[in-house]
């Protein structure tokens, strides 16, 4: 064991840009003795524990292209910069021989590293007791997180409580999967141990060097999400998994619904909210102290910054393993349009990532209710052509013709969705007093962002990924602020709490005031009225009065507020609504229309014809990843997930 070598992964290099404490060991391969012979060396080993965090929001993240909210075509030019492997999940090509974007091996490597740290950190001679306790707590939270990542992906898994000695017999190494409730219980146990006493700081001690390190708000917010997940239909009384058993007959899922799981989740959410408030974490709002912009623009900046402004006031936890930069080949570069006519000939900036029509339709109207429930609109008109007037000028280019459903939508739609004719505030143009000077998207062939056979195929861009200051420097170069990918924002936690209250007692129980308070806080920040006022005024029903109706409202609010952040992928699975979502065919607009194909009206009518893109597939087996067949051959005690 003393000769065990430790590899400090190259991923740490990405961390050093944001955190000086994550330095790389000079020779890269110290012995275990050296790793814990001083505080400096042990801190580097703690950095290694962090280095295994999954790469949220990139091409290695299955939620990016494996869901139903972001889509692109497989093109050689794009795949040179951004892996398209996730499309195999979206398009039903997952398999057990070579699973697509698995986390099995990497997470178990991570757990071994965390256990090694916990087993040896007491050996560090120059480490103060309080700091040792903090580091132990951080490692325990990371162990909990890595187990949770495995459970989300695979369901019940082998729990790695401690590393096995190197001389253990071969039969002890062949571990079995443990019941999924035991997995959740162990994860919560680790988080409770980490939060015991004052081991973790409430605040980031030094934002300049410690950004991304575990705090008490992070640990308690993770606990809240874990318990909400455990209480959700996928893991709570799921009869579809009744046949998943170990070889000795041990069932891996309890098929009995347990309401107390939601009660635990509700209490955990409230505890997490309280500590976040104590830490000064609050819903972000852009402070226009210089009074430069009007209210519409201030709200637009607020909503864009809430996700992609580094270390803003509502980020509970950001993944410094995944820094979004223009040069990273990540989400900024993959989504960025040209916008500037000077760069129309760029072949490298092609807004490759798009979103289907159904996601654009998902956002509320300006009245804060679904498009098909708003009694002020005729849903049959949604694809009819309209021309933007002066009142629309900060959302849609005045004089530009687009379709009815792009008008009078909620502010989050305009802040996070790019569409033909949509105003793009920023990108070098900031004078909202002169709307005609602002950038806008022009998607027809022959215009600035025309597709011409490559690039966007849907007619929509996930604008949320791109800071409003981002712009092209030259024909193939983007300048933009960078940011760490948010794992959890306060709005996420607020909506988890509202969901848990509704599942425990419905919308009319003892905690109904808090239920509506927290969902309405998220809506108010988005420029919308509260749930009750919106549904009373603009719909012909009061669905918020029933548990099922309120469940639908809360789920829709999560899908909108957390759109494109990777949360939808896991949410629709834990709710067991994924089959309905995936079975809605993906459609986009006709992006091969040229400005010379006819009159302006003819061109617009040709463009706004829904085009079939993909018939997705989703069955019971797709809720969980397959375990690689070769891993089962090595360890026959592992049973395969259903359907694989």
């Amino acid at each position: 064991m003393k000769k065990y070598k430790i590899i400090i992964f190259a991923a740490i290099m990405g961390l050093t840009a944001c955190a000086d404490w994550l330095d790389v060991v000079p020779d890269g391969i110290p012995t275990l003795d050296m790793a814990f012979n001083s505080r400096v060396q042990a801190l580097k080993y703690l950095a290694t524990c962090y280095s295994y965090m999954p790469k949220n929001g990139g091409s290695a993240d299955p939620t990016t292209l494996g869901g139903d909210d972001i889509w692109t075509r497989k093109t050689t030019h794009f795949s040179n910069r951004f892996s398209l492997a996730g499309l195999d999940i979206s398009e039903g090509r997952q398999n057990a021989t070579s699973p697509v974007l698995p986390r099995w091996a990497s997470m178990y490597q991570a757990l071994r590293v965390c256990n090694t740290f916990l087993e040896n950190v007491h050996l560090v001679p120059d480490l103060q007791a309080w700091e040792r306790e903090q580091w132990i707590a951080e490692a325990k939270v990371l162990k909990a997180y890595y187990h949770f990542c495995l459970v989300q992906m695979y369901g019940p898994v082998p729990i790695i409580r401690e590393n096995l000695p190197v001389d253990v017999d071969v039969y002890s190494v062949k571990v079995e999967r443990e019941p999924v409730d035991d997995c959740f219980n162990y994860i919560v146990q680790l988080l409770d141990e980490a939060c015991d006493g004052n081991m973790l700081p409430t605040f980031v001690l030094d934002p300049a060097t410690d950004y991304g390190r575990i705090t008490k708000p992070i640990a308690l917010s993770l606990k809240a999400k874990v318990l909400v997940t455990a209480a959700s239909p996928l893991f709570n009384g799921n009869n579809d998994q009744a046949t998943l058993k170990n070889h000795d007959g041990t069932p891996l899922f309890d098929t009995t619904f347990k309401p107390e799981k939601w009660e635990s989740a509700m209490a955990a959410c409230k505890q997490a909210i309280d500590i976040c408030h104590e830490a000064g974490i609050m819903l972000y709002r852009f402070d226009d102290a210089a009074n430069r912009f009007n209210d519409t623009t201030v709200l637009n900046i607020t909503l864009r910054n809430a996700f992609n402004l580094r270390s803003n006031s509502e980020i509970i936890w950001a993944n410094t393993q995944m820094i979004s930069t223009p040069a990273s080949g990540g989400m900024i570069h993959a989504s960025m349009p040209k916008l500037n006519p000077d760069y129309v000939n760029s072949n490298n900036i092609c807004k490759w990532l798009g979103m289907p029509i159904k996601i654009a339709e998902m956002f509320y109207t300006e009245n804060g209710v679904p498009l098909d429930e708003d009694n002020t609109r005729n849903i049959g008109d949604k694809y009819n052509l309209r021309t933007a007037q002066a009142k629309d000028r900060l959302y849609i280019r005045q004089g530009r013709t687009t379709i009815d459903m792009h008008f009078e939508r909620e502010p989050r739609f305009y802040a996070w969705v790019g569409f033909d004719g949509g105003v793009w505030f920023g990108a070098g143009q900031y004078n909202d007093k002169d709307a005609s000077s602002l950038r806008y998207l022009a998607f027809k062939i022959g215009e600035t962002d025309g597709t011409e056979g490559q690039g966007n195929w849907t007619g929509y861009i996930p604008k949320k990924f791109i800071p409003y200051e981002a712009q092209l420097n030259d024909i193939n170069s983007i300048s933009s602020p960078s940011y760490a990918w948010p794992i959890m924002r306060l709005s996420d936690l607020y909506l988890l709490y509202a969901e848990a209250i509704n599942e425990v007692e419905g919308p009319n129980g003892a905690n109904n005031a808090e239920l509506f308070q927290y969902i309405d806080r998220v809506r108010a920040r988005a420029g919308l009225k509260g749930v009750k006022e919106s549904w009373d005024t603009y719909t012909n029903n009061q669905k918020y009065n029933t548990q099922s109706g309120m469940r639908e409202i809360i789920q829709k609010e999560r899908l909108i507020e957390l759109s494109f952040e990777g949360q939808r992928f896991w949410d629709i699975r834990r709710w067991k609504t994924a089959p309905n979502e995936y079975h809605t065919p993906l459609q986009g607009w006709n992006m091969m229309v040229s400005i010379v194909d006819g009159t302006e009206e003819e061109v617009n009518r040709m463009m706004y014809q829904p085009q079939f893109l993909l018939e997705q597939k989703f069955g019971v087996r797709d809720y969980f990843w397959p375990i690689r067949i070769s891993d089962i051959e090595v360890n026959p005690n592992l049973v395969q997930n259903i359907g694989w």
Side-chain angles (χ1 to χ4, degrees), residues 82-137:
F82 194 95
S83 171
L84 302 180
L87 289 175
D88 286 337
I89 300 172
S90 172
E91 297 172 6
R93 290 192 292 272
Q94 182 62 279
N95 68 93
T97 302
S98 181
V100 180
L101 300 179
R103 288 178 178 167
W104 186 272
S106 62
M107 291 298 93
Y108 280 114
Q109 289 169 2
L111 290 170
R112 183 170 185 86
V113 170
C114 289
N115 282 337
T116 300
F117 179 84
L118 291 169
E119 291 163 3
N120 291 277
V121 68
H122 67 282
L123 301 174
V124 183
D126 57 341
L127 188 59
Q128 296 185 56
W130 69 266
E131 195 167 32
R132 178 180 287 108
E133 292 300 303
Q134 179 186 329
W135 291 8
I136 288 172

Side-chain angles (χ1 to χ4, degrees), residues 333-442:
H333 186 268
S335 307
M336 185 73 188
K338 301 167 190 174
L339 295 169
N340 190 335
D342 292 342
Y343 305 130
V344 67
N345 293 319
S346 171
N347 292 319
N348 195 36
I349 310 300
C350 295
K351 65 216 170 297
W352 293 302
L353 296 184
M355 38 177 283
I357 293 173
K358 72 171 186 177
I359 299 299
E361 293 178 340
M362 172 188 72
F363 286 80
Y364 292 138
T365 68
E366 65 180 0
N367 297 322
V369 297
L371 191 62
D372 60 355
E373 295 183 40
D374 192 323
N375 58 23
T376 70
R377 302 180 73 116
N378 182 353
I379 191 63
D381 292 339
K382 65 180 180 179
Y383 296 164
N384 289 349
L385 296 178
R386 281 178 60 180
T387 300
Q389 306 301 311
K391 66 181 179 63
D392 309 306
R393 66 189 181 280
L394 293 178
Y395 287 144
I396 304 173
R397 180 75 166 187
Q398 186 173 349
R400 186 84 176 186
T401 298
T402 182
I403 51 174
D404 180 79
M405 81 170 198
H406 292 162
F407 290 84
E408 291 92 37
R409 301 300 297 276
E410 63 161 306
R412 288 177 294 194
F413 175 77
Y414 297 110
W416 297 340
V417 178
F419 59 93
D420 182 59
V423 170
W424 193 290
F425 177 82
Q429 297 294 329
Y430 305 99
N431 181 12
D432 65 348
K433 307 299 188 295
D434 177 14
S436 65
S437 69
L438 299 177
R439 306 285 190 198
Y440 68 99
L441 284 169

Side-chain angles (χ1 to χ4, degrees), residues 107-174:
M107 291 298 93
Y108 280 114
Q109 289 169 2
L111 290 170
R112 183 170 185 86
V113 170
C114 289
N115 282 337
T116 300
F117 179 84
L118 291 169
E119 291 163 3
N120 291 277
V121 68
H122 67 282
L123 301 174
V124 183
D126 57 341
L127 188 59
Q128 296 185 56
W130 69 266
E131 195 167 32
R132 178 180 287 108
E133 292 300 303
Q134 179 186 329
W135 291 8
I136 288 172
E138 288 181 69
K140 286 185 175 181
V141 173
L142 289 171
K143 270 190 70 174
Y145 182 56
Y146 295 148
H147 275 103
F148 179 55
C149 290
L150 284 167
V151 171
Q152 276 190 311
M153 185 169 278
Y154 296 96
V157 294
I159 298 173
I160 307 300
R161 294 173 176 83
E162 57 187 19
N163 287 340
L164 295 172
V166 293
D167 58 352
V168 72
D169 66 86
V170 68
Y171 297 104
S172 298
V173 177
K174 296 185 183 300

Side-chain angles (χ1 to χ4, degrees), residues 351 357 383 385 400-403 406 418-422 441-445 447 449-451 456-460 587-595 597-612:
K351 65 216 170 297
I357 293 173
Y383 296 164
L385 296 178
R400 186 84 176 186
T401 298
T402 182
I403 51 174
H406 292 162
F419 59 93
D420 182 59
L441 284 169
F443 270 165
K444 301 176 184 71
I445 295 175
E447 295 183 314
D449 282 294
T451 296
N456 189 278
W457 291 96
T458 70
Y460 295 106
Q587 294 182 311
W589 301 119
N590 183 2
M591 301 304 292
M592 297 308 295
V593 172
S594 169
I595 56 174
D597 284 343
T599 66
E600 182 179 357
E601 181 176 358
E602 290 170 339
V603 167
N604 284 318
R605 290 194 182 283
M606 283 189 285
M607 179 176 187
Y608 289 108
Q609 295 295 320
Q611 308 291 305
F612 173 83

Side-chain angles (χ1 to χ4, degrees), residues 57 92 143 162 167 215 229 262 329 344 387 478 511 519 528 608:
K143 270 190 70 174
E162 57 187 19
D167 58 352
T215 61
T229 302
W262 278 114
V344 67
T387 300
I478 304 169
N511 294 283
I519 190 173
L528 301 175
Y608 289 108

Side-chain angles (χ1 to χ4, degrees), residues 489-598:
R489 299 192 286 124
L490 187 61
S491 58
D492 183 356
L493 184 57
Y494 281 177
L495 294 173
L496 290 176
Y497 185 38
E499 180 180 355
I501 293 173
N502 186 60
E503 295 302 328
V504 169
E505 60 188 40
N508 302 302
N511 294 283
N512 74 319
E514 289 210 321
L515 188 164
F516 287 99
Q517 173 190 346
Y518 282 102
I519 190 173
D520 286 350
R521 284 186 183 185
V522 175
R523 290 170 62 87
R525 196 272 298 275
L528 301 175
K529 296 181 174 64
V531 168
K532 290 183 179 180
E533 183 178 357
S534 296
W535 260 262
D536 285 346
T537 307
Y538 299 108
T539 76
N540 299 320
N541 63 73
Q542 294 182 325
K543 64 167 65 174
Y544 60 78
N545 273 327
T546 68
Q547 186 181 51
S548 60
M550 195 64 206
R551 180 184 298 127
E552 183 182 329
I553 290 172
I554 292 168
Q555 290 182 358
K556 174 80 79 170
E557 194 70 45
R558 281 189 63 81
L559 295 178
I560 294 172
E561 173 65 24
L562 303 172
S563 56
F564 318 127
E565 298 181 33
Q567 305 289 351
R568 176 187 177 94
F569 184 92
W570 302 114
D571 275 348
I572 63 176
R573 282 163 171 75
R574 69 178 177 87
W575 294 330
K576 293 187 69 178
T577 60
N580 290 337
E581 300 292 349
Y582 274 80
H583 290 167
T584 301
L586 299 189
Q587 294 182 311
W589 301 119
N590 183 2
M591 301 304 292
M592 297 308 295
V593 172
S594 169
I595 56 174
V596 300
D597 284 343

Side-chain angles (χ1 to χ4, degrees), residues 251-308:
L252 297 179
F253 276 82
D254 185 345
T255 58
T256 303
F257 172 75
K258 295 180 178 178
E260 59 268 26
K261 288 186 177 183
W262 278 114
E263 294 169 4
S264 297
M266 185 176 80
C269 288
K270 185 61 168 68
Q271 184 184 21
I273 288 172
D274 288 345
I275 192 67
C276 285
H277 288 173
E278 181 183 334
I281 298 171
M282 63 187 73
L283 293 180
Y284 172 81
R285 294 181 187 274
F286 176 69
D287 182 11
D288 187 21
N291 198 28
R292 292 178 58 197
F293 309 118
N294 65 33
D295 291 345
T296 297
T297 301
V298 168
L299 182 54
N300 184 287
I301 297 174
T302 290
L303 292 169
R304 292 181 73 174
N305 281 359
F307 174 76
N308 63 41

